[in-house]
């Protein structure tokens, strides 16, 4: 039986009269990686900060394992690992001192996990936080989020600043957490990350959740991109009633939503010099929602 771990009920946040997010409703299941995607300014970080009680909600609720999560609930906080998009720590501490301080928050022994993660991400504990590069600061944030082995991980733009090698190490870590049955809420604007690791995806636009879909269903429904070269491109465009991505005197490129057999049937009445059919990328599909 599928177990619901995190539920967001009609979450709304206004900054005065300015909309942050409106009526966000989501349920995350045990052991899934949920991708939360949208461009900068779409409302991803506002949603996450509201979940974490770092900002006050205008309305709505957040439930963890069917219990309402508020800023005073220490028991539920211990089940969450949080990585913000921007990491601000005590600059005058060394990495070791920061990790020691974080470790002191927990009654259970988390030292071995800390050691494992520090080694895995090749982080120098002797360095001061103020001297860390952006990538090493992000590594420290990841270690802080994961070292107490939380049941729920809420990650906001987690790979920004990481080099490709460290990104792959991080993806492996996510897959391991998923295999343990842990749940990951993964916010990103880097679309090519999503099909690599996510089970489902939610698309947010202008503060509103416009689509939630399984990755395999999104891929199955993927659009194709068609490029046609013909002396009759104007007639083809009018007949198919399409909006073109690219167009000149003899060539059109467009997003195709028809089955290929239906498309070919409709095109068979025209003299076509060249046709190219390309699978749409996740970026193409995403942009289709944003048009």
């Amino acid at each position: 039986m599928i177990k619901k771990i995190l539920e967001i009920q009609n979450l709304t946040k206004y900054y005065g009269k300015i909309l942050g997010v409106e009526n966000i409703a989501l349920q995350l299941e045990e052991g899934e990686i949920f991708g939360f995607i949208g461009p900068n300014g779409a409302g991803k970080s506002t949603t996450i900060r509201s979940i974490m009680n770092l900002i006050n909600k205008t309305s709505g609720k957040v439930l963890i394992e069917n219990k309402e999560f508020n800023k005073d609930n220490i028991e539920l906080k211990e089940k969450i690992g949080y990585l913000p998009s921007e990491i601000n720590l005590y600059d005058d501490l060394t990495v070791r001192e920061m990790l020691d301080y974080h470790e002191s928050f927990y009654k259970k022994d988390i030292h071995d996990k800390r050691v494992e993660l520090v080694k895995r991400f090749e982080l120098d504990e002797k360095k001061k936080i103020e001297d860390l590069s952006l990538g090493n600061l992000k590594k420290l944030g990841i270690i802080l989020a994961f070292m107490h082995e939380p049941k729920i991980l809420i990650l906001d733009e987690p790979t920004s600043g990481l080099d490709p090698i460290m990104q792959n190490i991080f993806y492996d870590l996510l897959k391991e957490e998923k295999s343990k049955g842990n749940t990951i809420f993964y916010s990103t604007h880097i679309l090519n990350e999503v099909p690599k690791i996510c089970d489902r995806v939610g698309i947010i636009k202008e503060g509103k959740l416009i689509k939630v879909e399984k990755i395999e269903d999104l891929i199955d429904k993927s659009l194709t991109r068609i490029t046609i070269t013909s002396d009759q491109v104007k007639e083809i465009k009018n007949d198919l009633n399409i909006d073109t991505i690219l167009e000149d005197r003899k060539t059109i490129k467009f997003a195709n939503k028809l089955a290929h057999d239906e498309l070919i049937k409709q095109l068979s009445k025209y003299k076509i010099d060249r046709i190219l059919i390309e699978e749409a990328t996740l970026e193409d599909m995403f942009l289709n929602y944003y048009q």
Side-chain angles (χ1 to χ4, degrees), residues 248-260:
D248 62 25
R249 190 171 58 84
K250 290 191 64 173
T251 302
I252 52 173
K253 182 176 182 179
F254 58 95
N256 173 53
K257 300 179 184 179
L258 295 174
H260 287 165

Side-chain angles (χ1 to χ4, degrees), residues 14-243:
Y14 275 85
Y15 299 93
K17 294 183 179 180
I18 300 171
L19 173 65
V21 294
E22 187 172 53
N23 291 328
I24 302 292
L26 273 174
Q27 293 184 7
L28 271 64
E29 298 163 3
E30 185 175 42
E32 79 164 324
I33 303 178
F34 185 91
F36 193 53
I37 63 175
N40 292 330
K44 301 188 304 298
S45 291
T46 295
T47 301
I48 285 177
R49 289 173 185 148
S50 297
I51 292 170
M52 293 300 300
N53 295 295
L54 298 174
I55 56 176
N56 293 325
K57 309 170 194 66
T58 302
S59 60
K61 291 181 179 180
V62 175
L63 305 179
I64 293 176
E65 296 180 330
N66 295 316
K67 297 176 184 175
E68 186 169 359
F69 180 45
N70 58 58
K71 60 185 177 181
D72 299 319
N73 195 320
I74 302 301
E75 180 187 350
L76 291 181
K77 281 184 178 180
E78 289 182 349
K79 296 184 178 185
I80 298 173
Y82 171 53
L83 178 66
S85 57
E86 295 180 7
I87 299 168
N88 296 294
L89 299 168
Y90 300 107
D91 284 348
D92 57 336
L93 296 183
T94 64
V95 170
R96 177 174 287 113
E97 288 168 339
M98 185 69 234
L99 291 171
D100 287 343
Y101 180 53
H102 189 74
E103 198 173 316
S104 71
F105 297 159
Y106 298 92
K107 294 177 183 177
K108 66 179 181 178
D109 186 357
I110 61 173
H111 187 74
D112 288 348
K113 186 66 175 180
R114 160 189 165 173
V115 171
E116 174 203 322
L117 290 168
V118 168
K119 183 178 180 181
R120 192 168 186 171
F121 284 96
E122 301 175 4
L123 191 61
D124 184 353
E125 290 195 6
K126 297 188 294 295
K127 280 193 173 182
K128 275 201 164 186
I129 289 172
E130 64 184 357
D131 296 328
L132 294 180
S133 66
L134 178 60
N136 281 326
L137 188 61
K138 182 54 66 82
K139 290 181 199 177
L140 177 55
I142 290 168
I143 293 166
L144 292 170
F146 282 74
M147 63 188 274
H148 63 289
E149 301 187 79
K151 192 171 183 61
I152 302 167
L153 288 147
I154 298 177
L155 312 174
D156 195 356
E157 303 289 352
T159 59
S160 62
L162 294 181
D163 63 47
I165 293 172
M166 285 297 154
Q167 285 181 17
N168 286 328
I169 289 171
F170 179 66
Y171 296 149
D172 288 342
L173 178 62
L174 293 182
K175 290 170 186 174
E176 289 168 19
E177 293 300 317
K178 172 182 164 63
S179 71
K180 295 174 188 174
N182 295 330
T183 301
I184 300 164
F185 187 89
Y186 192 100
S187 172
T188 184
H189 70 280
I190 304 172
L191 300 181
N192 63 13
E193 292 184 326
V194 175
K196 293 178 186 177
I197 55 171
C198 294
D199 302 295
R200 289 191 299 149
V201 63
I203 299 173
I204 187 169
K205 177 181 180 181
E206 297 173 355
K208 297 181 181 180
L209 190 65
I210 59 172
K211 191 74 175 176
V212 176
E213 192 104 52
K214 289 182 179 178
I215 288 293
E216 61 263 30
D217 291 342
L218 197 61
I219 292 169
D220 287 345
K221 293 176 183 176
S222 65
L223 307 171
T224 49
R225 293 288 185 259
I226 310 293
T227 304
I228 294 173
T229 302
S230 169
D231 290 328
Q232 298 176 282
V233 291
K234 187 177 290 186
E235 292 89 337
I236 293 170
K237 178 183 174 183
N238 291 337
D239 188 13
L240 297 180
N241 191 27
I242 53 177
D243 295 320

